[in-house]
């Protein structure tokens, strides 16, 4: 089946309408004094919406089967946002449709014209740029000149001049929280003399911050920076995320931007706000006399604004392109995000930890929400289909609050500085972020919105801590069959509040999405990430693959395919395909069910994820992938041992623990007052936290596997499909010299004692591994499923006297662990029933 083009989809949709619908036409050569007919079209969407509003106010008979507003081909420059209000609502029988007949762009941008080759000297300009720059006047926008943070040349985003070029960044030397200053290294011949408008971007854990530079003190080859308020105080007071200082993995990365002395290579630009000049160094392929240069001027291109009692209803958008939206808060107040792009209004560490909802909580924060190109509040049955959201400074589409039964389907989201799609309340500005949100008026909650079959690519390319799709306190949301790639942080994030307390969220579905090439800049990241209690919610049949190696990660291994974070409760996580089971369950609440995830998920699920056939034509728009390389999860076996003072947890408790922690029940064994869990190294980070809930007096991790017999390697046979694991434990004797002898024997056993391997091969052992912690050993023998060790073990010595000799030597190095009987050495841990 061939892909269905946008034009065919639109023609099909038009045929579905009755011919009796009221039609209003808009064209670039029209006039707002016209009637809006096909012969005499209007000039603006604003006037078309007003005309439609009047038809509805007067209950004109022509609108019985709906109103269709057709936009003819062209770029429609907006001077203010298009606003739809409750009076613009349609009904199920009479919807309002806003339809592009060909390529239609609603643009918040301004074209920069009148480019001239720069002649003469400009203070601060680097020598490399002399004779290379072009200059244009910045247009007057609001009486003060037009401030902007992005610039596009022939549809490609140019680079705001910065002191490190390409993907390079420096490393801060120190951060002084008390004095709110940062010390940085200076590069060779680097000048920081022109600082008016200069900013610092700093990389910290799962978020970046944009800080306006107030002053610079140079001392030798270092500089001390201070910053503008309010971001200076917030950046120095908030504990999570914070600047990272580490000799082992390097301090937080940074770069400086927006200073004329940084304009030193093709593709970079600088705006001089004092002289209202724009400087650009063209690339070799760009001719500035003919180039299409656009800067964004409007933060909102469209606002759909209803109220609780009077929502906007039944308005559909088809085939519209929304382009060139700006966001200026970072230039005016700085930008210090908390998470998922939500910026902090105030944040600090508590002197005494604890709140009524979270006794261990150590910080407080209040956040605001970034601007969006298209903003929807208190609206239902609104749809965006086959639209394009491109060249945005911040969020593309935001279903902010009180939205219900809306559809975002078959759209392209590309070249977006922040999140592609946001949905639902995160935190009102007056509400501390950790307080659970559960309003008495449920109409506030975004409910039953559908986000499906969208291509999201090259988003979060400025605010690296934003996400592909972000949902806060939502109910009944369905996020399915989207493809998300080339994002700086997580692919999909659902939830807010960091709490297992009951809240507004429930019955959410994340299914059949394809997420790949994510984590481009950040870590503490996942393909799918959740927060807080969300009863009856399910994450299923998604495909997550190919996470980038983030070049400045402070914890390089702290990345995941699935990540249920603080308070995540009542989820079913089932049948998701990932290359390995590298998941994190951090401080989860109760009743999460993990089942059937990982590389063994069926090929049908793997092939069905992502865009469905009618929408696969969008795939030609995918951004090019970075050459940073892809992380590979190293899956090694490990053993946890839990020692209890009193009785062991009951089998039902252990069964529930296994379900909530992505463990096979068959991986848990017990002996006396000890439990053993034989699992993967990929689960260590999660289990290190969650095993504490079982109240053991001691938890030990055995990750030092000093001996590994592998059937395929040592026998030349392929292992069987399924096997059982036998787990035994013993101590080495206390004599350290003898312990070393024991280890030396095992290091050379395969070369000096090949008969031992032969015996294991004869006995059908699939694997035999020995782990050591202090002087305690854990021995794992893997045998074909359904067979018994008592039947197989004699085969190791059959016609093989060297094995008896080996066993006799080994006995003098071994003794029983605490709790064994006299003369008892190896104890068997039995699987829980």
């Amino acid at each position: 089946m061939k892909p269905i083009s946008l034009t065919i989809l639109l023609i099909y949709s038009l045929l579905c309408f009755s011919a009796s619908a009221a039609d209003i036409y808009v064209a670039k050569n029209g006039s707002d004094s016209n009637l809006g007919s096909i012969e005499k079209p209007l000039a603006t969407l604003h006037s078309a919406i007003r005309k439609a509003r009047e038809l509805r106010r007067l209950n004109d008979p022509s609108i019985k089967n709906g109103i269709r507003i057709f936009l003819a081909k062209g770029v429609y420059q907006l001077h203010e946002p298009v606003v739809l209000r409750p009076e613009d609502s349609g009904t199920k029988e009479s919807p309002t449709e806003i339809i592009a007949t060909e390529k239609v762009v609603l643009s918040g941008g301004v074209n920069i014209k009148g480019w001239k080759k720069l002649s003469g000297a400009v203070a601060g300009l680097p020598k490399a740029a002399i004779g290379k720059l072009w200059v244009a006047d910045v247009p007057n926008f609001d009486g003060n000149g037009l401030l902007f943070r992005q610039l596009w040349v022939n549809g490609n985003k140019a680079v705001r001049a910065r002191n490190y070029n390409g993907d390079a960044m420096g490393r801060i030397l120190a951060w002084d929280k008390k004095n709110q200053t940062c010390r940085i290294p200076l590069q060779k011949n680097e000048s920081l003399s022109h600082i008016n408008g200069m900013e610092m971007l700093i990389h910290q854990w799962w978020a970046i911050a944009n800080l306006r530079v107030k002053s610079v003190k140079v001392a030798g080859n270092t500089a001390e920076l201070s910053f503008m308020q309010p971001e200076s105080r917030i950046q120095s007071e908030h504990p999570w995320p914070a600047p990272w200082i580490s000799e082992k993995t390097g301090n937080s990365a940074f770069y400086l931007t927006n200073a004329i002395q940084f304009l030193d290579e093709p593709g970079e630009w600088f705006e001089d706000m004092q002289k209202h000049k724009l400087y650009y160094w063209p690339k070799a392929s760009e001719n500035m006399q003919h180039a299409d240069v656009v800067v964004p001027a409007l933060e909102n291109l469209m606002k759909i604004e209803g109220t609780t009692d009077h929502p906007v209803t039944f308005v559909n958008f088809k085939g519209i392109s929304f382009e060139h939206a700006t966001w200026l808060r970072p230039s005016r107040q700085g930008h210090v995000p908390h998470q998922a792009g939500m910026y902090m209004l105030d944040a600090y560490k508590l002197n005494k930890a604890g709140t009524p909802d979270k006794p261990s909580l150590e910080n407080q924060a209040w956040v605001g929400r970034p601007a969006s190109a298209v903003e929807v509040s208190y609206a239902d049955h609104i749809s965006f289909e086959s639209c394009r959201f491109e060249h945005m400074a911040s969020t593309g589409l935001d279903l902010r609050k009180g939205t219900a039964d809306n559809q975002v389907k078959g759209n392209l989201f590309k070249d977006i500085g922040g999140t592609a799609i946001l949905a639902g309340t995160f935190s009102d500005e007056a509400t501390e972020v950790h307080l659970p949100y559960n309003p008495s008026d449920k109409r506030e909650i975004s409910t039953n919105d559908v986000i499906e079959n969208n291509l999201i690519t090259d988003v979060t390319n400025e605010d690296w801590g934003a996400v592909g799709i972000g949902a806060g306190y939502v109910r009944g949301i369905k996020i399915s069959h989207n493809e998300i790639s080339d994002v700086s942080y997580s692919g999909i994030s659902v939830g807010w509040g960091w709490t297992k307390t009951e809240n507004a969220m429930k019955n959410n579905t994340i299914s059949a999405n394809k997420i790949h090439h994510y984590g481009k800049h950040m870590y503490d990241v996942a393909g799918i990430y959740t927060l807080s209690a969300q009863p009856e919610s399910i994450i299923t049949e998604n495909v997550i693959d190919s996470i980038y190696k983030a070049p400045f990660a402070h914890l390089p291994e702290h990345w995941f395919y699935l990540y249920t974070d603080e308070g995540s409760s009542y989820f079913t996580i089932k049948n998701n395909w990932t290359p390995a089971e590298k998941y994190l369950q951090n401080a989860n609440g109760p009743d999460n069910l993990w089942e059937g995830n990982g590389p063994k998920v069926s090929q049908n699920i793997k092939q069905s994820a992502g865009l469905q056939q009618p929408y696969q034509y969008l795939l030609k728009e995918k951004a090019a992938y970075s050459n940073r390389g892809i992380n590979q999860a190293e899956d090694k076996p490990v053993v946890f041992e839990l020692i209890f003072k009193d009785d062991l947890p009951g089998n039902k408790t252990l069964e529930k623990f296994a379900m909530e922690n992505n463990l096979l029940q068959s991986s848990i064994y017990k002996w006396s007052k000890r439990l053993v869990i034989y699992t993967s190294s990929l689960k260590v980070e999660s289990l290190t936290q969650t095993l504490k809930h079982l109240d053991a007096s001691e938890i030990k991790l055995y990750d030092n596997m000093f001996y590994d017999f592998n059937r395929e390697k040592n026998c030349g046979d392929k292992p069987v499909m399924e096997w059982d694991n036998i787990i035994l434990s013993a101590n080495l004797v206390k004599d350290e010299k003898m312990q070393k002898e024991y280890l030396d024997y095992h290091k050379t056993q395969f070369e000096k004692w090949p008969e031992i391997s032969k015996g294991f091969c004869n006995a059908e052992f699939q694997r035999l591994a020995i782990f050591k912690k202090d002087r305690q050993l854990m021995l794992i023998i893997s045998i074909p499923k359904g067979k018994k060790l008592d039947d197989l073990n004699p085969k190791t010595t059959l016609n093989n006297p060297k094995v008896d000799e080996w066993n006799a030597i080994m006995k003098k190095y071994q003794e029983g662990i605490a709790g064994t009987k006299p003369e008892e050495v190896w104890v068997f841990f039995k699987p829980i029933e």
Side-chain angles (χ1 to χ4, degrees):
M1 180 176 179
K2 293 182 179 179
I4 300 176
S5 71
L6 175 61
T7 303
I8 293 172
L9 283 173
L10 291 176
I11 291 172
Y12 174 78
S13 67
L14 297 181
L15 292 174
C16 293
F17 283 94
S18 167
S20 61
D23 293 342
I24 302 169
Y25 292 86
V26 179
K28 289 286 292 179
N29 62 354
S31 169
D32 283 346
S33 61
N34 285 343
L35 293 175
S37 64
I38 192 168
E39 296 85 8
K40 293 188 176 182
L42 299 169
T44 65
L45 179 57
H46 176 87
S47 292
I49 289 171
R50 180 179 291 182
K51 182 176 178 64
R53 185 184 303 148
E54 288 302 293
L55 290 173
R56 290 201 182 278
R57 182 178 69 84
L58 299 171
N59 197 25
D60 191 283
S62 67
I63 69 170
K64 179 181 178 181
N65 291 304
I67 298 174
R68 297 183 297 190
I69 298 174
F70 294 104
L71 281 80
K73 181 179 180 180
V75 177
Y76 294 79
Q77 183 180 354
L78 303 177
H79 301 285
E80 60 181 333
V82 176
V83 180
L84 283 87
R85 302 178 174 90
E87 292 79 9
D88 301 310
S89 294
T91 65
K92 183 177 181 181
E93 295 75 20
S94 175
T96 294
E97 299 281 332
I98 300 174
I99 304 165
T101 56
E102 291 184 74
K103 177 67 182 288
V104 170
V105 177
L106 299 182
S107 173
V110 174
N111 283 90
I112 304 294
K113 298 180 179 179
W115 288 95
K116 297 179 181 178
K117 192 78 178 286
L118 179 64
S119 60
V122 177
L125 193 67
K127 290 182 179 180
I130 295 174
K132 308 290 179 60
L133 299 189
W134 287 67
V135 62
D137 292 328
V138 174
N140 185 13
F141 187 68
D142 58 4
N144 297 307
L146 178 60
L147 175 64
F148 49 89
R149 300 175 61 83
Q150 295 80 28
L151 179 143
W152 287 275
V153 180
N154 299 330
N156 299 310
K157 183 185 284 187
V159 176
R160 204 178 187 205
R162 48 186 281 185
N163 69 329
Y164 288 90
N165 293 326
D167 288 335
M169 298 177 75
R171 299 277 192 166
I172 68 171
L173 299 174
W175 192 280
D176 185 336
K177 291 185 177 182
K178 180 180 178 181
N179 294 306
Q180 301 178 14
T181 59
C182 177
R183 193 160 54 88
I184 64 170
L186 290 177
Q187 301 178 85
K188 185 179 180 180
N189 300 322
E190 183 173 12
S191 169
L192 300 185
S193 57
H194 295 265
I195 68 166
N196 186 37
M198 184 188 293
E199 296 179 10
M200 177 185 188
L201 180 144
I202 182 170
H203 177 290
Q204 42 198 18
W205 301 50
W206 57 86
I208 55 96
N210 301 104
L211 310 170
R212 297 169 299 157
V213 176
K214 180 179 180 181
S215 67
V216 176
K217 295 179 181 178
V218 175
N221 60 355
T222 69
E224 181 183 82
L225 308 180
S226 68
F227 307 98
M228 301 287 191
Q229 300 292 1
E231 67 266 35
S232 178
R233 174 185 59 80
I234 295 170
Q235 169 69 6
S236 289
E237 287 186 351
H238 76 86
W240 305 104
W244 182 273
I245 305 295
S246 169
E247 291 184 3
K248 182 179 179 181
T249 56
N251 297 347
S252 279
F254 80 96
Y255 65 77
L256 302 177
T257 186
N258 200 39
I260 193 165
Q261 63 266 30
F262 302 151
L263 210 172
D264 61 357
E265 70 170 5
E268 288 191 331
W269 63 272
F270 170 72
E271 180 188 12
D272 186 333
M273 284 296 295
Q274 293 179 318
K275 296 181 180 179
H276 305 296
K277 298 290 184 182
L278 173 60
Y279 301 97
Y280 179 64
W281 184 338
K283 295 180 179 179
S285 60
E286 295 167 342
N287 182 338
M288 296 309 294
Q289 292 179 329
H290 304 288
D292 178 28
V293 181
V294 182
V295 297
L298 295 182
E299 288 196 331
N300 302 118
L301 308 184
M302 179 172 288
K303 300 180 79 171
I304 302 175
E305 296 181 319
T307 68
T308 310
D309 294 320
H310 301 286
V312 182
T313 62
F314 291 99
V315 179
N316 306 321
F317 299 86
K318 294 190 175 183
I320 308 294
S321 292
F322 299 92
E323 296 186 10
H324 304 122
T326 191
W327 188 44
L328 296 176
R329 179 185 170 87
S331 292
R332 292 171 173 159
Q333 295 170 285
H335 178 52
V336 185
H338 186 268
Q339 187 166 308
M342 303 296 152
Y343 56 84
M344 285 183 270
L345 301 163
D346 195 10
Y348 54 88
K349 188 170 184 177
L350 295 169
N351 291 325
K352 185 176 180 181
T355 65
D357 187 62
K358 293 191 73 175
S360 62
L361 184 65
E362 63 171 358
N363 66 301
Q364 300 275 271
W366 291 259
V367 300
R369 192 175 185 125
S372 58
V374 178
E375 181 179 300
V376 184
S377 298
Y378 293 105
D380 63 72
H381 296 92
I382 309 296
S383 71
F384 293 88
E385 186 170 358
S386 302
C387 295
R388 298 171 72 100
F389 297 78
E390 295 183 271
H391 313 318
M392 311 292 188
S394 185
T395 307
L397 172 63
D398 192 348
L399 309 177
R400 290 176 69 92
K401 191 172 188 177
T403 60
D405 299 296
N406 301 298
Q407 277 203 340
V408 182
K409 184 177 182 180
N411 305 287
L412 171 68
F413 294 83
K414 186 176 182 180
D415 185 15
I416 293 175
T419 296
I421 307 169
L422 282 175
T425 297
F426 282 74
S427 293
D428 291 325
E429 292 191 2
T431 304
E432 204 280 322
V433 296
H434 300 95
L435 294 176
Y437 170 78
N438 200 5
S440 56
D441 190 340
K442 304 305 180 188
R443 292 176 297 175
E444 290 184 18
I445 304 169
S446 289
T447 304
N448 296 337
D449 291 325
V450 175
I451 301 171
E452 66 179 12
N453 279 298
N454 302 286
L455 176 63
I456 296 170
T457 187
D458 184 23
V459 301
T460 73
N461 60 28
E462 293 202 20
D463 185 348
W464 297 344
V467 297
I469 299 174
Y473 288 99
V474 291
R475 177 173 293 183
I477 198 169
K478 289 182 172 59
I479 303 173
S480 64
H481 283 290
N482 302 284
E483 179 158 339
I484 302 173
S485 68
D486 208 54
V487 292
S488 296
Y489 184 44
S490 294
I492 297 174
S493 174
V494 177
W496 198 249
W498 294 265
T499 177
K500 59 185 178 183
T501 301
E502 181 182 352
N503 58 75
M505 294 182 288
K506 68 177 183 180
N507 193 32
N508 298 318
T509 301
I510 308 170
S511 66
N513 300 284
K514 186 176 182 180
I515 303 165
H516 57 100
H517 293 88
Y518 64 100
K520 187 175 182 180
H521 292 101
M522 311 308 290
Y523 64 104
D524 192 34
V525 56
I528 298 174
Y529 171 93
T530 67
L531 277 171
S532 299
Q534 301 187 40
E536 303 171 52
S537 294
I538 185 167
I539 301 171
T540 186
E541 298 187 4
N542 300 283
V543 168
I544 305 169
D545 196 5
S546 300
I547 177 171
Y548 283 118
K549 291 182 178 178
F552 300 105
H554 312 124
L555 301 174
E557 299 303 316
H558 196 68
W559 57 268
F560 308 96
Y561 297 115
L562 298 168
Y563 187 167
T564 50
D565 203 1
E566 290 194 47
S568 293
S569 313
Y570 313 110
F571 276 97
T572 296
I573 303 103
K574 185 176 182 179
N575 294 339
N576 297 284
W577 187 92
T578 58
E581 294 181 43
K582 195 170 195 304
Y583 314 138
L584 182 61
Q585 296 102 311
N586 178 45
N588 286 184
D591 294 331
N592 291 319
L593 169 63
W594 291 75
E595 185 177 28
N597 304 289
K600 295 181 180 179
V601 169
S602 78
Q603 285 297 308
N604 287 339
I605 288 175
K606 189 176 180 181
Q607 292 167 2
S608 298
L611 300 178
Q612 293 175 299
Q613 187 65 36
Y615 303 94
Q616 290 181 4
Y617 69 91
L618 288 167
L619 293 175
K620 68 180 183 292
E621 303 282 358
K622 278 198 296 191
Y625 304 138
S626 169
N627 60 1
R628 289 187 171 155
I630 301 301
N631 273 306
Q632 302 294 328
E634 190 173 6
D635 188 356
K636 297 180 178 179
V638 296
V639 177
F640 277 98
E641 182 184 29
L642 288 75
I643 303 173
F644 294 82
K645 289 182 178 178
D646 301 314
D647 292 337
L648 297 178
N651 284 354
K652 287 187 178 180
T653 299
L654 295 174
E655 289 168 10
K656 184 178 181 182
F657 181 85
M659 284 174 27
E660 292 179 346
N661 288 275
N662 192 36
L663 286 171
L664 295 173
Q665 187 177 320
S666 59
S667 67
I668 305 177
Y669 299 75
K670 61 185 179 181
W671 174 81
S672 185
K673 293 185 177 181
R674 301 183 187 226
L675 284 178
V676 159
I677 299 175
Y678 181 47
T679 186
S680 164
S681 58
L682 304 180
K683 295 183 171 68
V684 167
E685 190 166 354
S686 280
L687 289 173
T688 299
Q689 299 177 55
T690 57
L691 284 172
K692 296 174 184 176
H693 300 163
L694 296 177
D695 295 324
S697 60
E698 186 178 0
I699 301 174
K700 299 164 68 174
L701 171 63
Y702 296 77
D703 56 1
N704 175 19
M705 184 172 65
F706 66 89
Y707 178 84
D708 184 15
F709 165 85
N710 181 296
R711 185 168 193 86
E712 188 167 9
K713 179 181 177 181
N714 297 102
C715 306
D717 296 337
K718 287 189 176 181
V720 296
M721 293 297 293
E722 292 185 275
W723 60 55
D724 292 322
N725 296 312
I726 314 297
I727 298 185
L728 305 91
S729 185
N731 274 341
L732 291 176
V733 294
K734 293 181 179 179
D735 187 301
E736 292 185 3
K737 181 181 178 182
M738 294 183 69
Q739 291 177 25
K740 184 179 183 304
E741 289 176 8
Y742 177 88
L743 296 175
D744 288 342
Y745 266 112
H746 284 81
K747 285 179 183 177
T748 59
Q749 186 209 73
F750 295 126
E751 293 79 24
K752 296 183 178 180
W753 295 74
E755 297 85 355
I756 310 303
S757 293
K758 183 180 177 181
F760 294 159
C761 295
N762 291 339
E764 299 181 65
F765 290 179
Q766 306 298 302
R767 188 172 196 176
L768 192 148
I770 309 177
F771 297 82
K772 178 178 177 291
K773 177 77 170 179
D774 299 324
R775 65 188 186 97
Q776 188 174 347
L777 306 176
M778 284 288 173
L779 169 63
I780 290 83
I781 304 174
S782 303
I783 62 175
K785 193 170 185 64
K787 296 199 174 184
K788 295 181 179 180
L789 183 62
D790 287 344
D791 296 333
L792 299 180
N793 202 40
K795 297 180 181 180
T796 61
T797 58
L798 186 65
N799 301 319
N800 197 347
K802 272 286 190 179
V803 175
D804 288 325
E805 183 182 346
W806 171 269
N807 290 337
I809 294 172
M810 291 301 107
K811 284 182 179 179
K812 68 179 182 181
Y813 297 107
Q814 303 161 356
E815 63 185 26
I817 62 175
T820 54
K821 299 174 184 177
E823 305 302 320
E824 186 179 17
V825 179
W826 289 98
V827 295
F828 283 78
F829 284 77
K830 294 183 178 180
I832 62 170
E833 297 175 354

